[in-house]
Amino acid sequence: METLSKGQRLPLANLVPDGVLQVGVAAQGLALDVACFGLDAAGKLSDERYMTFFNQPRTPCGGVEARAGSGGDMAEFALQLARLPAGIDRLVVTASIDGGGVMSQLQAGHVRLQAGGRELARFAFAGSDFAQEKAVMLAEIYRKDGGWRCMAVGQGFNGGLDALVRHFGGEVDQAASAAPAAPAAASAVMQAKINLEKRVEREAPQLVSLVKQAGVSLQKVGLLDHRAKVCLCLDISGSMGRLYKEGLVQRFAERILALGCKFDDDGEIDVFLFGKNVHHPAPMALSNCNTYVSQAIQRHPLEGDTRYGAAMQAIRAFYFPDAAGGERTRPVAAELPVYVMFVTDGGTSDQATTEKQLRWASNEPIFWQFMGIGKGRKSKSKFLAAFADSDFPFLEKLDELQGRLVDNANYFSVSSPDEHSDAELYDLLMTEYPGWLKLARGQGLLT
């Protein structure tokens, strides 16, 4: 028997040349519901009949069948891989909590492969591997080079069964998914019809690859199922004119909208514009994204002056109106954090106000990702060699500002908004955000 570690892959051709095997799941300390998702090459549940669980125990082809567990397993899937149609590219075995609790309360568990009465491989997991997750992807069996392989996954999801459905391309009916009973939740899964990624394909096909790449970067840092509000804050001072004229800001905004499509399911992001004044246009959405930036600049022409603090105050007042963007000395909690992408090409005329805003905002679940456009040195980045000097000393100061409840900001600079590949940009945007989430939870900023 082979013991698998997280991420380890195991070829199955020599172990089970006929493709007949069983996948058993066991867990102690929590009651779990298990399911097996049959996904297409895009990783989506394109045929809901290929979700196998207690209420739908067999796929149409007979390639996957849910059974009662044996030998200490609470559940088992009998697989006949040769029966699966070519459109089923992978099988993902999952577990979600039936009732209250979180995955960190697990005592111990495993997923194991068996064939012919012999255990072939085992992947063990425990509560210490997780935190507040309600569901987990345990293992994946997938096609590779004409054969099948198994990978130990162990990826947790904070949102439970609904989160798994969304991850696999479904949109859960909210009324049905609110019911607490597991059968009702499973019913909600089967009611999943039109998903956000299909909307992207239909309404904004240029975002398809961006959404996919954003997901890759989020998966690297364990945030594939993370939910957050996304806000894009754009400098509209006169010096930004060339960047707007050449479409560079438009393309960058589309990349942030794609990130928003992974963090939320409404297909839009909030936008703020700032120069001498602050403007809050309608959100950038899939339906208006193609010409969004040019339309916004037409309504709000470029201005003199640059005032970070005024923009930050407006954003804080929008998301947390109780303080109206003013002083906050005690933490306030929210269910969803706010990720602000703050873009500028120069310094600010209200430095003192900006510092106050960042300190006060540290008591709110808002993370500020500052990006300076210029030749300056990139802070905490592996993607650019450091320059001797920085064009954005004040942004660097904000990155290290003292007197905050938590470190709620990060900064990097680019020579142009399109300097990085999509993969590099999304990796860069996640440099400090995952760490901030842990700090924010620890300080009671997130419920």
Side-chain angles (χ1 to χ4, degrees), residues 72-94:
D73 294 340
M74 63 182 184
E76 180 181 280
F77 294 101
L79 308 183
Q80 298 185 60
L81 300 177
R83 289 192 174 189
L84 293 172
I88 300 300
D89 193 66
R90 60 192 60 207
L91 303 173
V92 180
V93 177
T94 71

Side-chain angles (χ1 to χ4, degrees), residues 214-238:
V216 171
S217 293
L218 293 178
Q219 187 170 30
K220 290 180 183 178
V221 294
L223 296 181
L224 191 57
D225 184 54
H226 178 63
R227 314 298 287 172
K229 300 174 183 178
V230 176
C231 174
L232 176 60
C233 186
L234 294 173
D235 184 343
I236 57 168
S237 60

Side-chain angles (χ1 to χ4, degrees), residues 313-324:
Q313 181 179 13
I315 291 170
R316 291 182 56 228
F318 174 70
Y319 290 109
F320 302 98
D322 63 304

Side-chain angles (χ1 to χ4, degrees), residues 342-385:
F342 197 104
V343 179
T344 182
D345 75 336
T348 182
S349 63
D350 61 355
Q351 291 191 5
T353 299
T354 301
E355 291 182 23
K356 289 179 182 178
Q357 286 294 322
L358 192 60
R359 289 191 179 100
W360 294 339
S362 71
N363 288 287
E364 298 164 343
I366 305 181
F367 181 80
W368 305 85
Q369 177 61 70
F370 294 100
M371 183 178 81
I373 303 175
K375 77 167 187 177
R377 172 166 50 90
K378 181 182 285 101
S379 177
K380 304 176 184 176
S381 168
K382 64 183 180 181
F383 297 114
L384 284 182

Side-chain angles (χ1 to χ4, degrees), residues 1-47:
M1 181 196 75
E2 183 158 356
T3 300
L4 302 179
S5 58
K6 185 174 181 178
Q8 185 174 348
R9 293 164 169 80
L10 178 69
L12 298 179
N14 294 330
L15 294 174
V16 283
D18 60 356
V20 177
L21 69 157
Q22 298 81 45
V23 180
V25 178
Q28 300 173 10
L30 284 174
L32 299 179
D33 288 325
V34 296
C36 180
F37 289 82
L39 309 178
D40 60 22
K44 301 303 177 186
L45 183 66
S46 55
D47 187 338

